[in-house]
Amino acid sequence: MKKAFFLFLSLFLCINIVYPQKVGLVLSGGGAKGAVHIGIIKALEENDIPIDYVAGTSIGAIVGSLYAMGYSPEEMLKLFLSKDFYYWQTGKVEQDYQYYFRQKPDDPSFIRFNVPLRDTTINIREAILPNSLINPIQMNQAFLQLYTQANAQCQGDFNQLFIPFLCIASDVYNKKEVIFRNGDLGDAVRASMSFPLVFKPIVKDEIPLWDGGIYDNFPVVPMKEAWNPDFIIGSSVAGSKKKNPAEQGLYDQMENMVMQRTKYEVDEKDGVMMNFTIEDVSLLDFNKAQQLYELGYNTTMEIIDSIKNRTDRRISPEELNVRREVYKKSLPRLIFRNIYISGTTEAQKVYIENQFRRDIDKNFTIYNFKRSYFRLLTNSKIKEIMPHAEYDPDNQTFDLYLDIKMKDEIVVGFGGNVSSMSANQMYLGANYQSLTELSANFNLDMQLGNFYNGLALQGIVEVPYRIPLDLSLLFATHSKQYYESEKLFMDSEISAFINQSETFGKLNAILPFQEQAKINFTVGYGFLHDEYYPLNNSSYSKSEFESSKYYLFNTGIYYRKNSLDAKQFPITGHDHHIIAQYVSGKEVFTPAARMSSNTEIDQSYIEISTGIRNFHTMTGHFNFGYALDGVFSSKNLWSNYTASMLQAPGYTPTPHSLLVFNEAFHANQYMAGGVMPIWKLNSTFHFRGDFHVFFPMYPILKGEGNKAYYGNLFGKSAYLGEISLVAQLPFMSVSLYANHYSSPKGNWNFGLNIGYLIFGPKFIP
């Protein structure tokens, strides 16, 4: 009997030595709630429970693939909470890669849509609406960065990863699940998490593949069929309390429509199952990853003894980390060499290849790739770039494959402004871009309204040197009208009605300065015309305008650095500029009394102006901004006081101040500044204050006969205070404001503004 017992024991031990117990981990989909999976893995590792296989769907595929590539639980959680992950899952481009050199100047458009020039079958709805809620621009490059090295190491066989892995996608066309155990790892995971309407699908063999949760949100059966592990640990975060359909959000409604019923079960004889019902966490609430991670960890620790009782194999965290480090060191370096481009003409290939900056060995890093990638996508001719990489063991570098979708269309913008004051504007813009070995851009901007009318035509050609150079030709004409009856003209000393117009042409040579700045060398000639009543007590219906016409030559250099998060009412970022320019020309003054002769004044001067606006996040709800402005000029006075004031630079820090001509905030030389405290109610609404002071170095004063003269140094000052409630919508801003100007006395204003008050370029900026 003893011999039989020892024989059985020896046989059992031999079987366990030759065939050790294997543990499989199955992870469900569920959006940001998948951070729970990371906490489960952390608890298992701390208790020496091995994970030999991992299968996942959607967020389960992301967590599972990261673990299969050697990420530790701490590294996965750090990634989920990182700024990089935020940018990837929102489609926003981080400031470090925003290429200001190629950004079109701000305009007052609400919407922009594409009008195809060749594919006339596309209707207006398709041209306006995006084909996914999340722009794929970030996801495309992120999956290249995350998965390329591991994909090369395993040579497309997911069994050869640090942990064997599989994931599920959905072939909606053929109504079936797709099991990925090999191929391109990044594409497999990307397909598994592409929830309809939120993300674009991955196309394989002309079949679009969507989120695997549509047909199998918990791949326990594929796990068994692939590896048949001895013990399965299942984690489902897909559970939720049933809600009245009328109370469900857009994501919940879409999930109910597309997701087929899935059994979130692991047979008791096969292992253990953990089901989580989590409320108040939406698809992209990854900012809650820490709490969810702790939930997964604590729940697993509560049942860890039962898991230990059913698993006899152990691996210590120290041993696991050694294996993990050995695996990571086996990954090839992510260095690129050759570029292969599809979807473009040969001339376009030359342009695209010239955007990549290589080192002395003709190679480039992932960071060089990202800079070039985001720069290319600022070109409106390029619709999308799908990057892939294949490892070349001979050179120990990766070959980069870029599948580029081009477009031949006109981009049309529509917008403007609606105000309680006389600033109702309509904006229409159009842009067309051509791309060969050179990039050419043609812009039309037009505004119509009762305050401002403008037209600007611009052509830009990029010369693709190692440092790009843009050559630009601009023609613009615009006019403004100030009405005293609408309190748009604030001062009691100047005329009560003014017409200002400019018509000019400029040639610009523009160079990038790092990522967020550019330098503009400009030369131009312009005709400026001001018409105004000379006295505030004139009978407006009978009096004639006085007129000043200016024929001016302008040349200068303009530096600007900009990373503001909004084109009106920003709360983060900065805007810095400095302009040095030379102006030469003459004024022809025509008085109202036609019996008097015209007066001509010649003048040449140098002007240097600078401005700083910075916004900083202080706490979760409080931001703080400040502004500093200065103008220093050798400019003399023009023919009269009114003409001198109208042509003097002005400090207009708020949208309302753009609509009023207040002489207290104009001077040829001045210093000004202000503070902007901002209280954020939520991601849409905020209260903001604007408190500004203005110090003219030599104020322009009015003498006898409407003549002008300079006053004493810092002889006057003015202030402006405004409080506003702002709604920053995705397509426009809405503000309800109250403000007070120190001059004239009792100058209070209240109003509502809907849209953007952004006007065209001025001849003398």
Side-chain angles (χ1 to χ4, degrees):
M1 188 70 180
K2 286 184 177 180
K3 289 183 179 180
F5 173 75
F6 283 115
L7 181 62
F8 174 79
L9 182 60
S10 300
L11 181 63
F12 177 79
L13 291 173
C14 288
I15 290 173
N16 275 274
I17 292 171
V18 178
Y19 301 106
Q21 185 189 48
K22 297 293 185 180
V23 178
L25 179 65
V26 183
L27 307 175
S28 79
K33 291 179 285 188
V36 165
H37 300 325
I38 305 175
I40 293 172
I41 295 172
K42 175 63 175 174
L44 295 174
E45 284 195 357
E46 279 189 0
N47 287 275
D48 304 341
I49 308 298
I51 299 173
D52 300 292
Y53 313 107
V54 61
T57 295
S58 196
I59 189 64
I62 295 176
V63 173
S65 64
L66 292 173
Y67 191 66
M69 294 191 302
Y71 276 69
S72 68
E74 293 82 3
E75 289 171 332
M76 287 189 282
L77 179 62
K78 183 179 179 181
L79 179 64
F80 272 37
L81 293 172
S82 68
K83 288 185 178 180
D84 282 343
F85 198 82
Y86 166 79
Y87 290 124
W88 297 343
Q89 48 101 4
T90 59
K92 297 180 179 179
V93 179
E94 53 264 56
Q95 285 188 3
D96 289 346
Y97 293 99
Q98 290 180 3
Y99 197 34
Y100 180 61
F101 173 62
R102 294 237 180 89
Q103 287 183 10
K104 189 178 182 292
D106 289 338
D107 61 50
S109 60
F110 299 158
I111 60 170
R112 304 185 77 83
F113 56 92
N114 305 324
V115 179
L117 298 180
R118 294 183 181 177
D119 189 357
T120 57
T121 61
I122 298 178
N123 59 39
I124 295 298
R125 184 185 303 173
E126 292 174 324
I128 295 176
L129 297 177
N131 51 21
S132 63
L133 295 179
I134 305 298
N135 190 327
I137 179 175
Q138 279 281 12
M139 203 74 73
N140 292 348
Q141 66 84 22
F143 274 68
L144 177 80
Q145 182 176 350
L146 278 175
Y147 292 103
T148 293
Q149 292 164 282
N151 195 66
Q153 193 274 343
C154 75
Q155 297 181 330
D157 180 1
F158 301 169
N159 275 335
Q160 302 304 315
L161 293 166
F162 178 66
I163 305 291
F165 167 76
L166 69 79
C167 64
I168 308 298
S170 296
D171 177 354
V172 178
Y173 181 79
N174 293 301
K175 304 293 188 294
K176 65 178 184 179
E177 67 180 27
V178 177
I179 301 173
F180 280 103
R181 295 185 60 193
N182 51 52
D184 187 286
L185 180 61
D187 282 355
V189 178
R190 176 79 176 274
S192 183
M193 51 76 65
S194 293
F195 192 82
L197 295 185
V198 179
F199 301 107
K200 286 188 65 177
I202 286 293
V203 178
K204 288 292 184 184
D205 301 323
E206 300 183 354
I207 300 294
L209 300 179
W210 300 94
D211 192 298
I214 296 175
Y215 294 119
D216 188 356
N217 203 34
F218 186 66
V220 66
V221 173
M223 164 71 79
K224 290 181 177 181
E225 292 175 346
W227 300 296
N228 193 27
D230 303 288
F231 189 79
I232 295 175
I233 300 170
S235 171
S236 169
V237 293
S240 61
K241 296 178 182 178
K242 296 299 181 183
K243 295 181 180 179
N244 185 321
E247 298 175 353
Q248 291 181 338
L250 179 62
Y251 170 73
D252 293 325
Q253 295 180 49
M254 179 60 63
E255 185 178 31
N256 288 336
M257 285 189 288
V258 303
M259 296 295 193
Q260 295 190 7
R261 184 177 179 82
T262 296
K263 289 185 177 180
Y264 300 100
E265 298 175 355
V266 172
D267 196 297
E268 188 176 352
K269 66 180 177 58
D270 293 330
V272 64
M273 182 70 202
M274 286 178 279
N275 280 296
F276 297 84
T277 299
I278 304 169
E279 301 299 324
D280 301 322
V281 178
S282 66
L283 176 69
L284 300 176
D285 275 347
F286 287 96
N287 59 309
K288 300 177 181 178
Q290 181 69 46
Q291 303 96 293
L292 294 165
Y293 165 86
E294 292 171 0
L295 173 63
Y297 177 84
N298 293 332
T299 302
T300 307
M301 292 300 289
E302 291 173 2
I303 63 169
I304 197 67
D305 288 339
S306 65
I307 295 176
K308 283 183 173 182
N309 290 336
R310 299 183 63 185
T311 55
D312 51 34
R313 196 169 119 256
R314 298 288 180 263
I315 180 170
S316 69
E318 293 77 17
E319 181 184 352
L320 184 61
N321 287 332
V322 169
R323 287 182 51 208
R324 188 175 279 135
E325 290 305 312
V326 170
Y327 173 80
K328 289 181 178 180
K329 288 179 180 179
S330 72
L331 299 176
R333 291 190 311 152
L334 194 52
I335 302 295
F336 301 99
R337 187 174 184 86
N338 299 315
I339 303 175
Y340 299 95
I341 300 169
S342 60
T344 67
T345 66
E346 292 301 318
Q348 290 168 345
K349 287 180 182 179
V350 172
Y351 173 86
I352 292 168
E353 288 178 356
N354 285 336
Q355 303 305 305
F356 290 86
R357 300 292 175 255
R358 301 172 183 268
D359 60 25
I360 194 170
D361 296 323
K362 305 296 183 182
N363 300 329
F364 55 97
T365 67
I366 185 65
Y367 303 104
N368 298 133
F369 162 76
K370 285 180 67 175
R371 292 193 183 281
S372 301
Y373 170 83
F374 287 119
R375 286 181 182 184
L376 283 168
L377 285 167
T378 59
N379 190 305
S380 61
K381 191 73 175 178
I382 298 175
K383 185 175 184 179
E384 187 177 3
I385 301 174
M386 284 294 295
H388 289 87
E390 292 185 7
Y391 187 61
D392 181 353
D394 294 332
N395 293 321
Q396 296 185 335
T397 58
F398 285 88
D399 292 335
L400 182 63
Y401 291 82
L402 302 178
D403 182 15
I404 298 181
K405 294 181 180 179
M406 307 296 293
K407 52 188 177 182
D408 189 17
E409 56 196 19
I410 296 175
V411 181
V412 178
F414 178 79
N417 189 78
V418 177
S419 174
S420 57
M421 299 178 64
S422 292
N424 298 316
Q425 302 291 135
M426 183 182 73
Y427 168 82
L428 180 65
N431 170 266
Y432 176 75
Q433 189 144 9
S434 68
L435 183 61
T436 56
E437 293 182 8
L438 299 176
S439 175
N441 208 325
F442 305 94
N443 296 306
L444 165 68
D445 289 277
M446 180 172 62
Q447 285 198 59
L448 300 173
N450 53 353
F451 171 71
Y452 174 84
N453 291 277
L455 175 69
L457 298 168
Q458 186 176 35
I460 305 171
V461 176
E462 179 188 337
V463 182
Y465 294 132
R466 183 171 180 83
I467 299 177
L469 169 67
D470 275 4
L471 297 178
S472 162
L473 183 61
L474 170 68
F475 171 80
T477 180
H478 54 81
S479 63
K480 292 180 181 178
Q481 294 178 309
Y482 296 95
Y483 296 89
E484 197 276 340
S485 61
E486 298 288 342
K487 284 197 172 183
L488 292 178
F489 187 78
M490 309 295 290
D491 186 74
S492 60
E493 294 295 328
I494 307 182
S495 58
F497 184 76
I498 298 172
N499 288 330
Q500 285 191 297
S501 64
E502 297 184 351
T503 300
F504 61 88
K506 280 193 173 184
L507 178 64
N508 302 292
I510 309 167
L511 293 168
F513 190 84
Q514 300 177 336
E515 291 297 309
Q516 297 174 2
K518 58 186 174 183
I519 298 175
N520 183 6
F521 300 89
T522 183
V523 60
Y525 185 81
F527 169 68
L528 286 61
H529 188 194
D530 293 344
E531 294 181 304
Y532 44 87
Y533 286 105
L535 300 173
N536 64 327
N537 59 356
S538 300
S539 176
Y540 303 145
S541 60
K542 296 181 180 180
S543 297
E544 296 182 5
F545 280 121
E546 290 192 334
S547 169
S548 290
K549 297 178 180 179
Y550 305 88
Y551 304 86
L552 303 176
F553 167 81
N554 170 270
T555 186
I557 180 172
Y558 179 9
Y559 165 88
R560 187 176 184 189
K561 181 178 183 181
N562 189 317
S563 65
L564 297 179
D565 66 333
K567 53 188 176 183
Q568 194 165 284
F569 302 116
I571 63 174
T572 62
H574 54 255
D575 184 6
H576 303 165
H577 76 265
I578 183 167
I579 307 171
Q581 55 188 325
Y582 169 77
V583 181
S584 179
K586 67 177 180 179
E587 174 198 8
V588 177
F589 169 66
T590 303
R594 297 304 182 190
M595 294 178 292
S596 303
S597 59
N598 293 349
T599 302
E600 292 189 9
I601 295 179
D602 294 316
Q603 185 172 175
S604 296
Y605 62 91
I606 294 173
E607 182 175 287
I608 298 174
S609 59
T610 184
I612 295 174
R613 279 198 300 166
N614 288 337
F615 294 88
H616 302 282
T617 299
M618 311 303 290
T619 68
H621 286 281
F622 182 67
N623 283 29
F624 183 78
Y626 62 89
L628 297 171
D629 244 35
V631 174
F632 309 93
S633 173
S634 62
K635 186 177 184 179
N636 293 318
L637 299 170
W638 293 109
S639 59
N640 59 70
Y641 172 76
T642 311
S644 298
M645 290 299 299
L646 290 175
Q647 287 299 314
Y651 183 60
T652 54
T654 65
H656 180 270
S657 64
L658 292 169
L659 303 176
V660 296
F661 193 94
N662 191 326
E663 71 165 317
F665 290 84
H666 285 258
N668 286 334
Q669 306 91 15
Y670 69 77
M671 290 187 292
V675 295
M676 292 151 282
I678 299 165
W679 181 257
K680 296 173 289 187
L681 302 177
N682 53 41
S683 60
T684 301
F685 290 93
H686 70 261
F687 280 106
R688 71 188 294 133
D690 275 271
F691 306 101
H692 301 268
V693 292
F694 179 84
F695 299 99
M697 296 178 65
Y698 292 97
I700 301 173
L701 302 179
K702 182 179 180 181
E704 293 292 329
N706 203 33
K707 293 297 181 180
Y709 66 96
Y710 280 125
N712 296 327
L713 181 65
F714 295 115
K716 293 177 66 177
S717 64
Y719 70 83
L720 156 64
E722 180 173 292
I723 298 176
S724 54
L725 173 63
V726 177
Q728 199 68 271
L729 304 176
F731 51 92
M732 71 168 68
S733 64
V734 180
S735 63
L736 187 66
Y737 63 87
N739 63 42
H740 174 66
Y741 295 81
S742 61
S743 176
K745 292 182 179 180
N747 182 14
W748 290 88
N749 301 274
F750 306 89
L752 173 69
N753 204 74
I754 303 172
Y756 297 111
L757 279 170
I758 300 174
F759 304 127
K762 297 180 65 177
F763 178 65
I764 302 176

